Amino acid sequence: MENGKKVMLSGIQPSGELHIGNYLGPLRHWPEMIEEFDCYFFLADLHTITVRQEPAELRRRVLTLLASYIACGLAPEKCTLFIQSHVPAHSQLAWVLDCYTMFGELSRMTQFKDKSARNADNINAGLFTYPVLMAADILIYQPDFVPVGEDQRQHVEICRDIANRFNGIYGDVFKVPEPYIAKVGARIMSLSTPEKKMSKSQPEGCVFLMDKPEDIMRKFKRAVTDSDAERCVRYAPEEKPGVANLMQIYASATGKSYEEIEREFDGKGYGAFKPAVGEAVVECLRPIREETERLLADKAYLESVYRAGAEKAGYVANKTLRKVYKKVGFLPG
Ligand code: TRP
């Protein structure tokens, strides 16, 4: 609530690298968000181990993501950036909230059903109580808003249910947050299957922020277009989803309109268009990749960012935790 700004919070799972679907989509609007709101952003490493992780790889990803987010414009002096496991109050509150969440309501969560179907050999209790930890992440900062994509909407709903239940017993302990429909920008599709959203699970159709220029160029040159006889760069998402997607990427990377792009490639065909999109993306990503690399080489700086973030976050989180402990009847330590 610093400077009377509303509080916003979001967690990011360090389960993969950022790609241009993230960047040209929601991430591009985050720098505006940190001006408007008092923002808390954290890397949800506790959530990530609900699916088995390779420890060295997890450490590397957390640092890379932290550096990438800073490079994308999340200035650490303007928001609170931290790592979830560095603020133990999240796990402490999660235990309390576990005791105010029903087995039945967790069983109904669609993400639990999906993930247990996909990880049939590891349906662990953490996967089941995942939404409770997420509710603790949120409620502990008393935020006004939680920006969510469609896939997390149900988790924010259950968080509100848990908060209301707790408040119903003990009075107004938690602020009940509103889901915030963030501006998403472009909805980027896979380069290899343009009917599907770009995703790290299909690396050949996915351009990562840290990809080398030659890899980016190769991916764009192989991008699926269509076998239209006209081979013409024309915006028609229904008929020509591959071309529409490339046009969208080109438009987001250069700021050009679809009409300008159609004129630019009039009579030139896909052979000229695909490398041009690749080059535009290489140029758009270059400053971010260079800044991420520079930050990754400065471990002391990254450490100072996440330590300061955890300290600031921990102060707020512990205040809520103390209040909750008192309400449920724990003797002060
Ligand atoms: N579950 C979220 C995701 O997979 C990540 C997350 C964890 C989160 N805790 C959160 C998001 C709290 C918002 C608020 O994307």
Side-chain angles (χ1 to χ4, degrees):
M1 200 106 54
E2 262 170 49
N3 324 320
K5 283 183 182 172
K6 299 260 190 197
V7 177
M8 162 98 81
L9 165 136
S10 190
I12 304 128
Q13 276 223 55
S15 53
E17 314 256 320
L18 290 175
H19 54 72
I20 59 169
N22 306 125
Y23 179 64
L24 300 175
L27 240 182
R28 265 205 165 173
H29 295 286
W30 285 21
E32 301 157 27
M33 249 157 55
I34 62 175
E35 299 294 337
E36 190 177 348
F37 300 103
D38 178 13
C39 286
Y40 292 83
F41 294 114
F42 61 92
L43 292 159
D45 55 352
L46 297 173
H47 277 105
T48 301
I49 63 161
T50 52
V51 173
R52 200 69 77 227
Q53 303 290 325
E54 213 280 292
E57 177 60 18
L58 178 57
R59 268 190 291 274
R60 192 190 64 76
R61 259 193 270 113
V62 167
L63 267 190
T64 310
L65 272 180
L66 180 70
S68 303
Y69 278 102
I70 299 172
C72 288
L74 288 191
E77 39 322 324
K78 291 189 182 169
C79 60
T80 309
L81 278 177
F82 64 102
I83 298 167
Q84 188 185 27
S85 63
H86 293 181
V87 183
H90 290 227
S91 313
Q92 294 170 300
L93 179 61
W95 171 256
V96 176
L97 297 183
D98 272 335
C99 304
Y100 297 82
T101 308
M102 299 302 128
F103 185 88
E105 61 187 339
L106 289 177
S107 313
R108 288 190 291 273
M109 301 301 287
T110 52
Q111 194 171 84
F112 172 69
K113 291 192 230 167
D114 291 350
K115 284 196 181 171
S116 31
R118 270 188 278 129
N119 302 283
D121 55 343
N122 185 20
I123 307 179
N124 58 74
L127 204 56
F128 189 66
T129 58
Y130 180 117
V132 187
L133 177 59
M134 180 158 160
D137 294 337
I138 297 172
L139 298 176
I140 208 158
Y141 297 102
Q142 311 275 3
D144 298 278
F145 299 112
V146 183
V148 276
E150 214 29 70
D151 63 324
Q152 296 298 319
R153 185 180 288 279
Q154 205 184 19
H155 287 157
V156 176
E157 275 313 310
I158 198 175
C159 167
R160 290 167 51 88
D161 292 344
I162 296 169
N164 280 322
R165 181 174 305 138
F166 199 92
N167 288 347
I169 306 171
Y170 300 105
D172 281 340
V173 179
F174 296 122
K175 178 170 268 174
V176 182
E178 299 289 332
Y180 179 83
I181 310 301
K183 289 190 198 137
V184 284
R187 187 162 183 270
I188 307 292
M189 313 304 278
S190 162
L191 299 189
S192 49
T193 31
E195 302 74 34
K196 289 197 182 142
K197 234 170 96 172
M198 183 175 282
S199 145
K200 58 182 188 275
S201 56
Q202 288 182 305
E204 62 303 346
C206 180
V207 176
F208 295 97
L209 297 195
M210 296 305 280
D211 274 350
K212 295 196 190 67
E214 57 269 30
D215 295 327
I216 298 179
M217 291 304 294
R218 182 177 42 81
K219 287 178 183 173
F220 276 101
K221 283 182 189 158
R222 286 194 196 152
V224 169
T225 45
D226 51 62
S227 47
D228 242 21
E230 58 170 18
R231 299 194 60 80
C232 147
V233 177
R234 180 165 60 81
Y235 190 74
E238 296 290 318
E239 280 165 68
K240 297 155 79 79
V243 171
N245 186 40
L246 290 171
M247 287 180 77
Q248 182 181 221
I249 294 171
Y250 192 63
S252 321
T254 60
K256 291 179 185 168
S257 69
Y258 292 144
E259 295 80 59
E260 284 174 290
I261 300 170
E262 285 171 1
R263 250 180 282 129
E264 186 177 346
F265 293 96
D266 188 21
K268 291 197 183 133
Y270 303 155
F273 179 51
K274 293 202 282 186
V277 182
E279 272 159 34
V281 169
V282 168
E283 286 319 309
C284 171
L285 296 185
R286 188 186 302 282
I288 293 168
R289 184 168 53 90
E290 287 176 357
E291 180 64 359
T292 306
E293 277 166 0
R294 194 186 67 75
L295 292 167
L296 280 173
D298 191 352
K299 296 278 185 305
Y301 171 74
L302 290 177
E303 224 175 86
S304 73
V305 168
Y306 65 65
R307 289 221 171 114
E311 196 179 324
K312 213 167 132 200
Y315 177 79
V316 179
N318 282 319
K319 234 163 62 179
T320 307
L321 184 69
R322 276 197 302 275
K323 192 165 162 191
V324 168
Y325 274 13
K326 193 170 161 199
K327 290 286 184 184
V328 299
F330 294 164
L331 210 57

